[in-house]
Structures are given as structure tokens and as C-alpha cells.
Amino acid sequence: MFRRAFWFTAGAAAGVWATTKVNRRLKKLTPESLAAQAADKAVEAGHRLKDFALDVKAGMTQREDELNDALGLHQDPDRPDNVTALPGPRRLRAIENHQIDNRPKLSYNRNEDH
């Protein structure tokens, strides 16, 4: 008698458990649930993309500072928008070389190619 009651109870419990699992799975596969899951994944991907972009920007800034230090370029607080400027002697040489450079200026006309 106790054996039969035990197996009956075990079978009933297994049936309830299986029914619950199937109903949960079916609710996950409804269109509304799938749309909500897709929206959550899209928001999560957007956050990851934003974090990646911020990391890239920080890395770019760090590398730019390293290159400016290596090249001797310094930020001049008197210049607008903190435009980087060449140090004095290098700036003068660059200006002189630009003034000496008298190469003929070639204009490019796209119609001449045809």
C-alpha cells in the first residue's frame, strides 16, 4: 500500500514538474517574450559598443600625448582650442622651408583625363 502511494506521489510530482517546465518554455517562445529578449540584447550590445568607443578614445588620447611628448610638441595654453604648436626653432624652420618652397603648383582638372 505504501509502495503504491509513494509511486503515485512520485509520478504526480514528476508530471507537475514536467508541465511547469513545458509551460515556462512555451512562455519564453511567445512573440512578445522573443521581442523583449531581442530588445534586451540590443541594449546590452549598445552598452558594450559605447564602452568600447570610450576605451578607444582614451587610448587615442594617451597615444597622442605620448607622440606629442616624443616629438616635442607641447600644448600652448595661449592658443585657441589648445592647438598644438611646434617648438620655437622647429616652427621657424618650418616657416622658412615653406617660404623657400617655390615649386610650381599643379592644378588637377578631371576633364583632362578623358
Side-chain angles (χ1 to χ4, degrees):
M1 173 88 174
F2 287 112
R3 263 177 111 181
R4 287 183 185 172
F6 170 76
W7 287 113
F8 177 77
T9 306
V16 169
W17 177 79
T19 303
T20 304
K21 282 287 206 183
V22 168
N23 284 336
R24 284 184 191 163
R25 185 61 58 143
L26 288 175
K27 284 182 183 178
K28 283 185 178 180
L29 296 176
T30 61
E32 296 84 14
S33 178
L34 291 175
Q37 289 176 9
D40 290 343
K41 295 283 184 182
V43 169
E44 183 180 331
H47 288 305
R48 286 183 182 169
L49 190 61
K50 180 181 175 185
D51 291 342
F52 175 73
L54 290 174
D55 289 344
V56 168
K57 185 175 180 181
M60 283 181 4
T61 303
Q62 179 183 359
R63 183 64 179 149
E64 184 177 351
D65 291 342
E66 291 172 3
L67 291 173
N68 285 339
D69 289 342
L71 294 173
L73 300 175
H74 303 287
Q75 296 287 341
D76 188 1
D78 295 334
R79 300 192 89 173
D81 299 325
N82 285 336
V83 175
T84 57
L86 291 171
R90 290 179 64 191
R91 184 180 317 134
L92 293 176
R93 269 187 270 140
I95 292 172
E96 289 170 2
N97 288 339
H98 181 69
Q99 292 171 352
I100 293 173
D101 189 16
N102 292 326
R103 287 183 283 174
K105 305 292 185 211
L106 299 176
S107 65
Y108 180 70
N109 187 350
R110 292 175 50 181
N111 294 327
E112 292 177 359
D113 291 342
H114 301 286

